[in-house]
Amino acid sequence: EYLVIGDEIREVINNVDDNEERLLLRNRYIHYMEWDDICDKMHMSRRTIHRIHSSALRNVCIPERWH
């Protein structure tokens, strides 16, 4: 069951149009990276990372079956 959920999360993230948002979501929710590690990897401040994260969550299209 966890593998199915992981696949569904990957599918949702892969459908995010913006490259930075998609990369951030992958790092956080697929690779389970800490915020500071994401900041270092993406060469951005924590504030910028959280702004991108907020935007990404607004842009994520949740499948109907999850409602």
Side-chain angles (χ1 to χ4, degrees):
E1 184 173 318
Y2 289 114
L3 293 176
V4 172
I5 292 170
D7 288 342
E8 290 180 348
I9 291 170
R10 279 185 192 81
E11 179 183 335
V12 167
I13 291 172
N14 286 337
N15 287 323
V16 172
D17 289 332
D18 185 271
N19 291 333
E20 284 184 338
E21 291 178 1
R22 193 170 49 253
L23 178 60
L24 189 152
L25 293 174
R26 278 189 190 133
N27 287 332
R28 184 68 179 164
Y29 299 110
I30 294 174
H31 302 297
Y32 306 105
M33 291 176 67
E34 298 289 332
W35 290 117
D36 288 336
D37 295 331
I38 295 171
C39 293
D40 291 343
K41 182 173 183 170
M42 295 182 70
H43 307 287
M44 296 179 183
S45 69
R46 186 178 267 255
R47 181 177 182 160
T48 300
I49 289 296
H50 284 293
R51 180 183 52 77
I52 294 170
H53 183 254
S54 294
S55 177
L57 293 181
R58 285 192 301 272
N59 292 327
V60 163
C61 186
I62 304 297
E64 190 66 36
R65 65 186 177 274
W66 290 8
H67 293 250

